Amino acid sequence: MRIALFITCVNDLVFPGTGRAVVRILERLGHTVDFPPEQTCCGQAHANSGYRAEAMPLVRRFVDTFAGYDAIVTPSGSCTAMVREAYPRLAAGDHGLAAQVAAVAPRVFELSELLVDVLGVTDVGAHFPHRVTYHPTCHGLRMLHLGDKPERLLRAVGGIELTELPGADECCGFGGTFALKNAGVSAAMLADKCDAACGTGADFLAAADNSCLAHIGGGLSRRDGPRAIHYAEILAATKEDS
Amino acid sequence: MTGTGNIVAALPFPTAAKPKLADSQLRDNLRRATHTIRDKRLRTVAELPEWERLRLAGAAIKDDVLARLPELLVEFEAAATAAGATVHWARDAAEACGIAVDLALSTGTREVVKIKSMATQEIGLNEALEAVGITPIETDLAELIVQLAGDTPSHILVPAIHYNRHQIRELFARRMPGVDLDALTDDPAALAEAARRHLRARFFSARVAISGANFAIAETGTLVVVESEGNGRMCLTLPETLISVVGVEKILPTVRDLDVFLQLLPRSSTGERMNPYTSAWTGVTPGDGPQQVHVILVDNGRSDVLADPVGRQALRCIRCSACLNVCPVYERVGGHAYGSVYPGPIGAILSPQLSGAGANATLPFASTLCGACFEACPVRIDIPEVLVHLRQEIVAAAGATPERAAMRAAAWVLRDRRRYSAALRAARRFAAPLRLVGRPDAVRHLPWPLTRWSASRDTPLPARETFREWWSRERA
């Protein structure tokens, strides 16, 4: 199977460790990962802010870049949802593009979908002897319907202690440009999420989206709370690391 | 024709939200109330294994209605007229109020009893009645609380959601005429009893009632009101004259369609299996109930909404308020921040469409697109989809703004691999000296306008090596 990694622009620049973790997990499971260098950004920020025209070239670039692969994995629930849910809508008026999107979009998987649904693995041979709480991000939860796939993967990790996050399904308040346009409401939502995370006594708060994690982690770093971490980095960790 | 009335926010959402966020009592009240209804809804919805099929059925019936609205309205008019009602048509809020006020004035009454109704709130009927010297008396308990307080509703279903019972007790003690102060504790039963005594006298003296309708059945000309307290039924049966103000999208084709909606509505709104009172009336029944029945069918911008293939799904709304109760933004600021009588996620897509998106331009941005509203909506209105759709309209109409320039520039960089890689390198180099002066991986303070971000959170710095640099070093 030809697996391509879509790293996402935020991960490429700020959280490259998450991408390295995905590569490490998949190679450990015996798969080869390809990184098409033509990729840039899925266009979510543009599309969700109302800049459809600006997002369209990025839609085209994405489907061109990933056309030949059996599976495209990305460590981001919201970017996966952007491609699978929003691309068909954006491409609706353009028959050629719509056909390209229809061919590529169903083969784009969030990491837990690739591991659990496509590769049939829940134990990826990881070891992470820490107390972890999991925040299921909105796009993963309500657009991709990931269910408990990330938690199933985390439960199989050696040495881990998973602890429930109260109000886990509530939005953290990031919302892309929402955090700037409605800074007050965003900060209020963040404060509640941080309160809940700190109350768990966990060492780490994990999630499937580094943009939400940058927001939550940015709030947590001003408190004596858990550290924000992408769950791929937990799945990549082994006994030798700890 | 663009809608008018109480659907336009006077202030931008972030400005109106600010004092609400600072009101810790309000936030406490809202949090408690929304979480209680939310949990109750989840429990009662989980009892129905066919819930998703019911949602699909509800959406399909409503879409059918929207697809042939003119013919169904004419069918309703014919059936209602044949049953003895008089049907009036109103293009906007001013016309609807004018018709209702003239009808009320012609009876010579100085007082009308009212059933809680979003349509009358939308058109500003109470204000119009007061302007001609007629006192409207809200008979829904929560609506009465808001009216006594001289306030406006902040929730579609629970207009007084922003008050707790201590505050309500104080309000009754000060504002309710003839209230028995000795018996008035802040116990909910005592408060309800005080309201009951207060209202009973009004029911027996009122000659005119004003209602909305949850549903209007085209085939029979029947109107249906769904309520919890029974006060609505008092209004529907005791007075001589009944004036019902009904949005044109309230039509259902047949009585059988109620089957779906009487399951969807109570569970979604109050988390009950069945609401205590469902009243249906068809025109006039000689010698029983109101002998003058008027129905005012209100457009007020709905035809414009119907003309938009993406936005029209907002007209499926049955005003259950499930989207408000699950919305994290609504939970923090309450309904008043939305300005319009339609708050929360549905308000964020309905108000700008009814009024034209030029007004209410900040409402479609008052959402993180978290999707909780779509998941809760009993008629499957894809609110996030419509929010993004309206954002496109607003951005297009705004012309050249600094935000557009920034988005264009970012898109230009992202369109090309070389430009993109160069930008990543530049960002990484820019971050390098910041590591030396602050913490190695994050910065605390950002310059304006990013202070809106950095006031509440640290910002991670670009990594020392981008992923693509690592990849080309290790793998390529």
Side-chain angles (χ1 to χ4, degrees):
Chain A
M1 182 155 58
R2 291 192 69 207
I3 303 177
L5 171 65
F6 172 52
I7 181 66
T8 85
C9 52
V10 169
N11 288 335
D12 197 353
L13 178 64
V14 188
F15 304 101
T18 299
R20 293 198 299 269
V22 174
V23 173
R24 194 176 177 194
I25 296 162
L26 290 170
E27 290 183 348
R28 198 164 67 213
L29 293 170
H31 300 280
T32 308
V33 183
D34 197 5
F35 179 77
E38 284 298 320
Q39 62 179 288
T40 59
C41 164
C42 70
Q44 186 184 178
H46 292 89
N48 281 354
S49 303
Y51 295 88
R52 184 176 188 276
E54 285 77 6
M56 290 310 289
L58 303 178
V59 175
R60 292 202 179 85
R61 157 171 290 275
F62 187 95
V63 293
D64 285 345
T65 303
F66 291 102
Y69 292 93
D70 304 312
I72 300 110
V73 64
T74 183
S76 162
S78 70
C79 299
T80 309
M82 175 70 194
V83 176
R84 279 218 310 252
E85 303 291 318
Y87 275 22
R89 245 175 231 165
L90 288 166
D94 179 333
H95 290 306
L97 184 62
Q100 271 186 291
V101 167
V104 173
R107 288 186 275 121
V108 176
F109 300 101
E110 190 278 329
L111 176 65
S112 71
E113 294 177 315
L114 181 79
L115 291 171
V116 176
D117 295 343
V118 181
L119 303 177
V121 187
T122 47
D123 186 345
V124 297
H127 188 81
F128 194 76
H130 302 283
R131 193 168 195 197
V132 175
T133 192
Y134 187 78
H135 167 65
T137 54
C138 299
H139 287 87
L141 192 69
R142 283 179 282 268
M143 289 187 83
L144 300 180
H145 303 286
L146 293 183
D148 68 344
K149 279 169 221 165
E151 283 105 319
R152 270 158 65 198
L153 289 158
L154 288 171
R155 269 197 294 273
V157 171
I160 201 169
E161 186 193 342
L162 269 185
T163 174
E164 198 182 323
L165 179 68
D169 60 349
E170 286 178 39
C171 177
C172 68
F174 172 57
T177 51
F178 176 84
L180 297 175
K181 285 183 195 283
N182 284 284
V185 185
S186 175
M189 290 164 68
L190 172 63
D192 290 345
K193 187 57 76 180
C194 288
D195 287 345
C198 291
T200 62
D203 310 308
F204 291 91
L205 176 135
D209 243 298
N210 272 328
S211 43
C212 310
L213 282 168
H215 161 83
I216 303 172
L220 285 173
S221 89
R222 296 189 180 185
R223 306 177 181 213
D224 188 21
R227 262 181 57 199
I229 187 172
H230 195 287
Y231 82 109
E233 297 179 41
I234 296 178
L235 298 182
T238 60
K239 223 163 196 160
E240 293 74 55
D241 301 327
S242 51
Chain B
M1 191 172 199
T2 306
T4 56
N6 297 327
I7 50 173
V8 181
L11 295 172
F13 183 82
T15 310
K18 211 168 183 184
K20 307 297 172 189
L21 286 164
D23 184 343
S24 59
Q25 176 73 69
L26 172 78
R27 277 179 63 186
D28 198 44
N29 295 350
L30 285 167
R31 182 175 174 81
R32 202 179 301 256
T34 54
H35 281 251
T36 305
I37 312 177
R38 199 185 287 189
D39 294 344
K40 211 170 148 197
R41 184 189 72 86
L42 280 177
R43 280 199 303 275
T44 46
V45 162
E47 291 173 354
L48 291 185
E50 68 275 28
W51 183 253
E52 288 308 318
R53 282 171 51 208
L54 275 169
R55 286 177 81 205
L56 287 168
I61 294 168
K62 280 286 185 179
D63 280 349
D64 171 48
V65 167
L66 296 178
R68 50 194 187 101
L69 191 57
E71 76 178 73
L72 288 172
L73 284 166
V74 169
E75 188 185 345
F76 173 86
E77 180 186 34
T81 307
T86 309
V87 176
H88 311 257
W89 300 78
R91 280 172 294 194
D92 64 6
E95 262 188 27
C97 282
I99 296 166
V101 165
D102 285 349
L103 288 169
L105 279 176
S106 71
T107 66
T109 192
R110 310 303 296 169
E111 195 173 276
V112 298
V113 285
K114 281 191 70 212
I115 304 178
K116 178 184 159 3
S117 137
M118 290 310 296
T120 62
Q121 292 283 359
E122 176 186 323
I123 63 173
L125 184 54
N126 285 7
E127 297 93 308
L129 288 166
E130 281 162 1
V132 297
I134 297 175
T135 307
I137 296 165
E138 293 290 351
T139 66
D140 173 81
L141 178 53
E143 201 77 56
L144 174 66
I145 292 165
V146 169
Q147 190 178 38
L148 287 174
D151 198 357
T152 54
S154 70
H155 188 279
I156 288 175
L157 187 82
V158 198
I161 195 168
H162 51 304
Y163 293 97
N164 65 28
R165 56 200 174 101
H166 314 295
Q167 293 168 312
I168 294 166
R169 195 261 161 202
E170 289 312 303
L171 183 68
F172 279 15
R174 281 188 291 117
R175 300 275 176 85
M176 190 176 272
V179 71
D180 180 358
L181 281 173
D182 295 332
L184 191 67
T185 65
D186 61 10
D187 177 44
L191 295 172
E193 179 62 19
R196 187 170 173 267
R197 287 177 186 279
H198 168 75
L199 289 173
R200 183 135 298 220
R202 270 81 194 169
F203 288 134
F204 287 133
S205 66
R207 286 160 49 211
V208 176
I210 295 179
S211 84
N214 292 97
F215 307 104
I217 313 294
E219 73 170 342
T220 55
T222 304
L223 294 177
V224 181
V225 159
V226 172
E227 50 149 350
S228 295
E229 295 164 2
N231 291 338
R233 185 166 291 178
M234 301 284 258
C235 296
L236 293 171
T237 47
L238 291 170
E240 297 152 16
T241 301
L242 172 61
I243 303 165
S244 300
V245 182
V246 183
V248 289
E249 82 286 12
K250 294 286 174 183
I251 293 281
L252 293 180
T254 69
V255 177
R256 286 186 51 186
D257 298 315
L258 279 174
D259 171 32
V260 169
F261 291 97
L262 291 182
Q263 295 185 73
L264 287 174
L265 182 54
R267 280 183 158 86
S268 301
S269 55
T270 52
E272 293 169 302
R273 296 183 184 94
M274 191 70 206
N275 51 288
Y277 295 88
T278 300
S279 304
W281 67 101
T282 309
V284 174
T285 305
D288 185 16
Q291 297 301 293
Q292 302 290 325
V293 172
H294 295 274
V295 184
I296 306 172
L297 295 171
V298 183
D299 186 310
N300 204 34
R302 287 160 175 77
S303 294
D304 288 351
V305 185
L306 191 59
D308 183 327
V310 177
R312 74 165 62 121
Q313 56 186 309
L315 295 179
R316 287 187 207 144
C317 177
I318 56 173
R319 311 284 188 262
C320 72
S321 73
C323 63
L324 277 63
N325 299 328
V326 298
C327 177
V329 176
Y330 178 88
E331 182 190 327
R332 269 57 180 205
V333 299
H336 291 152
Y338 293 81
S340 151
V341 295
Y342 299 111
I346 187 64
I349 63 167
L350 192 57
S351 309
Q353 293 199 85
L354 289 174
S355 65
N360 295 315
T362 54
L363 289 184
F365 296 91
S367 166
T368 63
L369 306 179
C370 83
C373 48
F374 178 32
E375 190 178 63
C377 178
V379 285
R380 292 182 59 88
I381 302 169
D382 192 339
I383 294 176
E385 180 191 11
V386 183
L387 286 169
V388 170
H389 173 71
L390 294 175
R391 288 177 185 187
Q392 285 169 9
E393 281 183 19
I394 289 163
V395 160
T401 61
E403 185 186 273
R404 166 169 292 253
M407 286 286 182
R408 283 237 166 114
W412 181 78
V413 169
L414 293 165
R415 272 206 309 270
D416 180 276
R417 177 191 157 192
R418 273 176 236 290
R419 291 198 288 259
Y420 171 74
S421 300
L424 292 190
R425 281 197 301 277
R428 178 168 56 62
R429 280 201 211 103
F430 177 75
L434 294 174
R435 278 185 228 291
L436 303 175
V437 294
R439 296 176 344 159
D441 57 345
V443 283
R444 182 139 293 181
H445 304 289
L446 294 175
W448 190 88
L450 297 173
T451 37
R452 277 180 276 179
W453 168 274
S454 62
S456 307
R457 349 161 161 72
D458 295 342
T459 309
L461 283 169
R464 289 184 170 81
E465 182 181 45
T466 64
F467 179 83
R468 64 187 55 223
E469 286 168 338
W470 173 81
W471 180 270
S472 50
R473 185 166 60 77
E474 285 279 314
R475 306 295 160 112

